[in-house]
């Protein structure tokens, strides 16, 4: 149980393109999902908290207009990197926290490798 | 604010040897504690978690961790390393109250298993 599916796994596109990444919780409901960015050989950096039915909460320094987040249902959150540039190339990972008791862990997708040419 | 320190960015053990990955946290109130494993080009997989109750928690793949409040530690161990254990391991904490259920990660420990 507690499977999170992230799609696509890899994207290569030209500079200026907008890229949408999907994160789905397959067998549980997730009011809250999270989007991370990971640079090579580093830990995960939280970008934003995605809340079903309301606006996402962005971490300091993350551009809201650059990284658009939509959480339209209890099982789906999307991250759109708008007008992507080479510096946006990175490994993006989503997670979903199962609704319920405190202390529930986050379950992670397999990540999306984004390469902007 | 809470923080996580993982001592040793790289740990190397022989196959069959004990694995010990260290994690210390800083928090005004004992948080929820997690260990995750990451294989190359993949997301994170939950190994185990501590919320309340028994301080020695067992996880998947033969791993276990012990919560020691007096030492503010949550070290990860496995009695006998296997080649398939080679991966990046992250310790993480989540606040007991508030904080929006956010995870704070350590910087990670790369485990290498040698023949």
């Amino acid at each position: 149980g507690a499977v999170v599916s992230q799609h696509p796994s890899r994207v290569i596109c030209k500079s200026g393109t907008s890229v949408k990444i999907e994160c789905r919780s397959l067998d549980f409901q997730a009011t809250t999902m999270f989007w991370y960015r990971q640079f090579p050989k580093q830990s995960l950096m939280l970008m934003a908290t995605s809340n079903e039915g309301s606006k996402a909460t962005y971490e300091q320094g993350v551009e809201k207009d650059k990284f658009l987040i939509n959480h339209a249902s209890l099982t789906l959150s999307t991250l759109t990197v708008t007008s992507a540039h080479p510096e946006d190339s990175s490994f993006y990972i989503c997670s979903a926290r199962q609704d319920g008791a405190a202390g529930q862990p986050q379950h992670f997708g397999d990540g999306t490798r984004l390469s902007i040419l | 604010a809470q923080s996580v320190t993982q001592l040793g960015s790289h740990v190397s053990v022989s196959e069959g040897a004990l694995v010990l990955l260290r994690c210390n946290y800083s928090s005004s109130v004992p948080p929820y504690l997690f260990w995750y494993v990451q294989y190359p080009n993949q997301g994170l997989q939950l190994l185990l978690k501590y919320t309340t109750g028994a301080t020695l928690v067992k996880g998947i793949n033969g791993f276990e961790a012990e919560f020691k409040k007096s030492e503010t530690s949550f070290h990860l161990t496995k009695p006998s390393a296997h080649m398939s254990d080679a991966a990046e391991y992250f310790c993480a904490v989540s606040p007991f109250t508030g904080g929006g259920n956010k995870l704070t990660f350590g910087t990670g420990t790369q485990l290498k298993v040698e023949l």
Side-chain angles (χ1 to χ4, degrees):
Chain A
V3 177
V4 174
S5 173
Q6 188 173 341
H7 179 80
S9 58
R10 187 174 179 92
V11 179
I12 302 173
C13 58
K14 295 180 179 180
S15 184
T17 305
S18 291
V19 178
K20 180 185 281 189
I21 303 170
E22 291 189 350
C23 182
R24 294 180 185 272
S25 56
L26 297 185
D27 50 1
F28 64 98
Q29 291 186 335
T31 302
T32 306
M33 293 186 177
F34 301 87
W35 288 96
Y36 297 85
R37 185 172 179 175
Q38 186 178 32
F39 293 100
K41 306 295 184 183
Q42 294 189 26
S43 188
L44 279 71
M45 180 191 78
L46 179 65
M47 299 175 64
T49 303
S50 175
N51 304 296
E52 188 269 335
S54 64
K55 291 183 179 180
T57 304
Y58 290 82
E59 295 301 300
Q60 192 172 8
V62 177
E63 298 178 61
K64 300 178 183 181
D65 296 332
K66 177 73 171 177
F67 300 100
L68 300 180
I69 291 172
N70 183 275
H71 193 155
S73 78
L74 287 172
T75 59
L76 174 64
S77 175
T78 61
L79 169 69
T80 301
V81 184
T82 61
S83 187
H85 292 284
E87 59 266 27
D88 298 322
S89 298
S90 193
F91 193 53
Y92 294 87
I93 308 176
C94 74
S95 73
R97 180 183 176 276
Q98 192 166 359
D99 291 345
Q104 290 285 358
Q106 291 181 24
H107 300 282
F108 288 79
D110 278 339
T112 297
R113 176 75 59 192
L114 178 60
S115 300
I116 308 299
L117 306 176
Chain B
Q2 46 186 20
S3 64
V4 180
T5 302
Q6 289 184 243
L7 284 177
S9 59
H10 291 81
V11 171
S12 183
V13 300
S14 299
E15 190 175 32
L18 171 71
V19 175
L20 171 61
L21 304 182
R22 299 178 186 276
C23 173
N24 288 85
Y25 68 90
S26 174
S27 177
S28 56
V29 176
Y32 298 117
L33 297 152
F34 307 89
W35 274 101
Y36 287 90
V37 61
Q38 185 180 33
Y39 297 98
N41 295 310
Q42 293 186 25
L44 277 65
Q45 181 182 11
L46 179 68
L47 280 176
L48 48 78
K49 66 176 182 177
Y50 172 78
T51 53
T52 58
T55 55
L56 180 63
V57 292
K58 295 185 183 299
I60 62 171
N61 302 338
F63 284 93
E64 60 184 38
E66 186 171 12
F67 168 59
K68 291 187 177 181
K69 183 178 177 180
S70 61
E71 299 178 6
T72 60
S73 69
F74 191 56
H75 302 329
L76 182 71
T77 60
K78 182 174 181 178
S80 177
H82 191 272
M83 296 297 289
S84 60
D85 294 326
E88 185 87 18
Y89 291 81
F90 292 97
C91 180
V93 301
S94 179
F96 188 72
T97 57
N101 299 305
K102 293 181 185 178
L103 282 175
T104 300
F105 285 93
T107 51
T109 298
Q110 182 72 46
L111 176 65
K112 183 178 180 181
V113 182
E114 300 174 318
L115 287 173

